[in-house]
Amino acid sequence: MRLKLLWVGKTQESWVRTGIEEYAGRVKRYAPLEILEAREEKGAQAATMRERECERLAKLIPKGGKLVLLDERGEQMSSPELASFLSKNRDQGTQDLVFAIGGAYGFTDSFRAQAFKTISLSRMTLTHQMVRVFLLEQIYRGFTIINGEPYHHE
Ligand SMILES: C[S@@+](CC[C@H](N)C(=O)[O-])C[C@H]1O[C@@H](n2cnc3c(N)ncnc32)[C@H](O)[C@@H]1O
């Protein structure tokens, strides 16, 4: 199973980039991981920016890829539940599990409708930049749970 992380715009803060590099490196011990960046839209109305950014995200989804959205309105999962979601997909032969993080204006309804699952990390709104690190850390945590490694403590 290959993992793809899609997001909108460059990672601006160096301390966020450091976190991404750290946890992306850890995740790659368990599964091939590719991070793909959609260009951020600027200077238009929120709805137009959301629309254009989602069109760009949609183009990055490989054919047959299973789309998982990160969204505050999604389903809240525990880390063991995320681990079992990852292992189930791996065992069922999912080729590309594609996680998408929206831009500052989130997702359009039509992009939401393409998702196979929508996950919330919290009911609070987090910055789309920090969500990149939180998601990578949870995926890493998930793999350590799958492998019975001493990282996650109940
Ligand atoms: C600043 S938020 C967008 C807020 C936008 N007003 C909305 O309603 O979706 C940018 C992106 O960060 C991610 N995000 C923010 N908070 C999140 C949370 N609690 N759980 C999961 N993803 C979150 C989502 O992918 C979201 O599209």
Side-chain angles (χ1 to χ4, degrees), residues 11-136:
T11 305
Q12 275 141 10
E13 306 289 348
S14 63
W15 52 273
V16 179
R17 280 200 299 275
T18 302
I20 290 170
E21 278 162 25
E22 172 65 31
Y23 284 100
R26 294 188 191 202
V27 168
K28 283 178 186 168
R29 294 181 204 154
Y30 301 95
L33 167 72
E34 195 179 5
I35 294 176
L36 299 166
E37 223 165 68
R39 184 164 57 83
E40 186 180 0
E41 186 64 39
K42 290 194 179 129
Q45 300 230 319
T48 308
M49 292 199 273
R50 193 181 295 121
E51 188 83 36
R52 290 188 184 149
E53 290 176 350
C54 284
E55 280 167 12
R56 289 174 196 147
L57 285 171
K59 286 189 185 148
L60 298 174
I61 303 171
K63 203 162 172 244
K66 277 182 155 179
L67 179 63
V68 180
L69 294 190
L70 272 290
D71 189 288
E72 67 213 56
R73 302 165 201 78
E75 175 190 343
Q76 292 200 326
M77 301 171 101
S78 66
S79 297
E81 283 166 348
L82 179 65
S84 103
F85 175 73
L86 291 171
S87 67
K88 219 181 262 174
N89 273 282
R90 189 191 56 187
D91 298 346
Q92 287 171 353
T94 298
Q95 297 229 313
D96 290 294
L97 193 61
V98 184
F99 291 88
I101 300 169
Y105 301 95
F107 300 118
T108 58
D109 289 343
S110 65
F111 192 69
R112 274 176 210 289
Q114 293 179 44
F116 144 79
K117 193 170 192 72
T118 303
I119 297 176
S120 165
L121 296 173
S122 154
R123 286 172 52 219
M124 294 179 188
T125 302
L126 309 168
T127 77
H128 61 297
Q129 303 255 322
M130 286 199 280
V131 168
R132 299 169 184 187
V133 185
F134 296 150
L135 173 62
L136 281 164

